[in-house]
Amino acid sequence: MDGHMAPVLDLAAIRADFPILSETVRGKRFTFLDSGASAQKPRQVIGAMVRMMEKAYANVHRGAYHMSEQATEAYEAARRAVQRFLNAGDEREIVFTGSSTNAINLVAHSYGRGVMKPGQAVVISEMEHHANLVPWQMLRDAHGIELRVCRITDAGELDMDDLAAKLADGKVGLVAVTHMSNVLGTVTPAERIARMAHEAGAKVLFDGSQAAVHRRVDVQALDADFYVFTGHKLYGPTGIGVLYAKAALLEAMPPFLGGGDMIAEVSFERSIWAPIPAKFEAGTPPIIEAIGLHAAIDYVEAIGMPAIEAHERALVDRAMARLPHIEGVTLLGRAQDRGGVFAFALDTAHAHDVATLLDRAGIAVRSGRHCAEPLHARFNVESTCRASFGLYTTPEEVDLLADALGQAREFFR
Amino acid sequence: MTGLFDDLRDLYQEVILDHGRKPRNFRRLDDADRTARGDNPMCGDRMELFLKMAPDGTIADAAFQGRGCAISMASASLMTDTVKGKTPAQAHAMSDGFRTLAMTGTCPECGGDIAEEMERLAPLSGVHDFPSRVKCATLAWHTLNAALDGQAKEASSE
Ligand SMILES: Cc1ncc(COP(=O)(O)O)c(C=O)c1O
């Protein structure tokens, strides 16, 4: 490692925890720069899930027998782990969902249709993932809610003046914005956004799908009303996501899905909802996935979110020292506060051609529009490549990308 | 010269790079009889195809506009070049043949009166080794089918 990069993490030990990182691709070392789409899994997560299935599995909240009680305890322990991870005040404020997408749809449905009134508005931003855009369009069309889109600056930062303008008439019921862009890497000033929303009488939802992976999130310090993230980007399994919501909001919201586990009492005439969070967890929940997510949280917390953040900051600095200076490479966005996600275009080649070339060098990047089509339109680009870092990414991999990009440009000249 | 990517010359043959950089028939046909749009939402490849039909029912002229990767641009360029003078039935046969070529790398049934044209399309056969890129190559042909069949809806090779 170079002198200017303090080794904040024991990368060799960390990489040894991720079996897939020792795979080769077309005879080359596998250089995985697509953690932003989905992260790889450490043995600790894989092992916890296998152990549960082999030794302690049964449905939860249902059986008066040992295995079910044990599974229920493990599932609820996972909820407490998430509570600590987000520094939520109360474990009842943690709802397990299938993904970030499910969590946002839950809020759009139960809070949007159940609590908001037609004529009110939702504010999103120009840099939202489709998961935090489409549910609000559906709410708009179904429930007479106005959808306002807060502009971003050319640097790829939220335009705070525009946010103030969008909030000015007091009609906004909810501000739903990303905490970190999955394309630009921009980290948004969440505390300030929450303060502005609250002063205007609105609630605030943060899409933390990217942010929660890269830095410590404290939902109480942010004063977030809703905060969502997804397990598979946090080195955990697919099929599990988290909705944090203040207890009073969850109490006021009607359920999203109906079924087993979410009711206290059922007759053919009516049902009485279970207390929160069960009210929002209809059906058999993602039990094994919750155990995997718990292991993932234990894993990143053992390393330490501050150390992970420092490591990624060093990688970002290294990437920023190289990528913008490669001839023909244009980066999308230049936010001051950013995480390890970079979207870029090459002048001589389309993103897909670049990704195919990089793949030959064993480098996995995403190409296309990364579920953020309106954002690409905003920057007037058809598609980009995106490199994103994880806690196992090495400085050498950043260099490998930069070197390969230079060669890719030559290839297409 | 660029050692790292040498083995990609099978996919990006010189013909393809050339057509990708300087696509032929890249213009709008104002007097087109048939048009269709093609879109690969995942990739951001997008094209609009224009066909001018001759009185005898053959394709008198073909042109396109759009944006996309080298493979999709080269494929559209070669497609518009090779379907000129063909009947709709021949063009459909070429389209079927091309799909086989792109997916398997060969096309045993591509003989007869379209053999010569299919030969010109052969450089694109390399995509069969790149499953995620096959749809880049076939977009132009899907769009051609849509234009010939007069479908109002957008073609997609998803
Ligand atoms: C910012 C952001 N929001 C939402 C999502 C959706 O996550 P999921 O597909 O797990 O629901 C993603 C990832 O795809 C994302 O990057």
Side-chain angles (χ1 to χ4, degrees), chain B residues 25 27 58-63 79-86 117:
Chain B
N25 312 306
R27 62 200 149 84
T58 59
I59 298 169
D61 202 0
M79 182 273 284
T80 47
D81 251 4
T82 48
V83 297
K84 279 184 217 176
K86 295 287 169 297
E117 286 74 19

Side-chain angles (χ1 to χ4, degrees), chain A residues 204-346:
Chain A
V204 64
L205 175 147
F206 293 111
D207 175 357
S209 306
Q210 297 289 337
V213 181
H214 298 285
R215 48 180 74 186
R216 179 127 195 81
V217 172
D218 180 334
V219 290
Q220 295 189 77
L222 295 178
D223 199 13
D225 298 295
F226 301 100
Y227 197 97
V228 310
F229 72 93
T230 194
H232 66 95
K233 295 186 205 276
L234 187 70
Y235 314 101
T238 52
I240 187 155
V242 166
L243 167 65
Y244 159 83
K246 286 180 181 165
L249 287 167
L250 288 178
E251 303 276 12
M253 287 156 56
F256 176 35
L257 303 172
D261 272 350
M262 52 76 70
I263 26 65
E265 206 184 299
V266 191
S267 66
F268 283 115
E269 286 68 47
R270 61 180 196 139
S271 298
I272 295 173
W273 313 139
I276 64 167
K279 180 168 99 175
F280 294 100
E281 293 182 358
T284 298
I287 304 165
I288 302 158
E289 291 80 359
I291 274 52
L293 178 60
H294 188 167
I297 288 174
D298 284 350
Y299 185 79
V300 294
E301 288 194 325
I303 295 169
M305 290 310 287
I308 292 172
E309 188 181 344
H311 168 65
E312 290 181 7
R313 156 106 347 248
L315 292 175
V316 167
D317 289 348
R318 196 176 186 107
M320 285 307 283
R322 297 243 5 225
L323 296 182
H325 305 293
I326 303 168
E327 223 187 321
V329 168
T330 313
L331 279 187
L332 240 60
R334 293 289 183 94
Q336 285 298 318
D337 190 4
R338 69 172 307 152
V341 172
F342 296 86
F344 53 87
L346 201 60

Side-chain angles (χ1 to χ4, degrees), chain B:
Chain B
M1 146 213 63
T2 60
L4 195 51
F5 304 128
D6 271 351
D7 51 352
L8 279 173
R9 290 290 168 199
D10 280 347
L11 176 63
Y12 293 105
Q13 298 189 18
E14 204 40 58
V15 194
I16 294 177
L17 289 178
D18 177 48
H19 278 259
R21 279 190 210 105
K22 293 177 303 211
R24 321 295 195 267
N25 312 306
F26 193 78
R27 62 200 149 84
R28 154 178 294 280
L29 286 186
D30 284 325
D31 58 347
D33 305 302
R34 310 264 176 95
T35 65
R37 283 173 190 283
D39 194 9
N40 263 345
M42 281 296 294
C43 326
D45 292 347
R46 213 167 260 183
M47 65 172 290
E48 189 172 8
L49 175 67
F50 309 93
L51 298 179
K52 178 82 193 147
M53 306 308 286
D56 67 358
T58 59
I59 298 169
D61 202 0
F64 77 105
Q65 287 193 314
R67 285 171 77 169
C69 64
I71 308 285
S72 73
M73 286 292 105
S75 181
S77 174
L78 285 163
M79 182 273 284
T80 47
D81 251 4
T82 48
V83 297
K84 279 184 217 176
K86 295 287 169 297
T87 65
Q90 285 172 320
H92 276 309
M94 289 168 66
S95 183
D96 291 345
F98 184 79
R99 199 162 355 175
T100 309
L101 189 69
M103 292 196 320
T104 67
T106 58
C107 180
E109 69 268 30
C110 288
D113 59 348
I114 57 168
E116 205 177 301
E117 286 74 19
M118 293 313 292
E119 199 56 44
R120 283 198 61 200
L121 300 172
L124 281 161
S125 65
V127 292
H128 86 275
D129 270 335
F130 300 81
S132 67
R133 304 303 303 278
V134 169
K135 60 184 186 296
C136 309
T138 53
L139 177 65
W141 293 92
H142 283 284
T143 312
L144 175 71
N145 290 347
L148 288 173
D149 299 344
Q151 295 165 2
K153 71 175 174 63
E154 209 161 274
S156 162
S157 55
E158 283 299 297

Side-chain angles (χ1 to χ4, degrees), chain A residues 36-37 99-102 129 131 178 180 182 207 209-210 230 232-233:
Chain A
S99 61
S100 285
T101 303
N102 287 31
H129 187 280
T178 189
M180 174 176 158
N182 65 311
D207 175 357
S209 306
Q210 297 289 337
T230 194
H232 66 95
K233 295 186 205 276

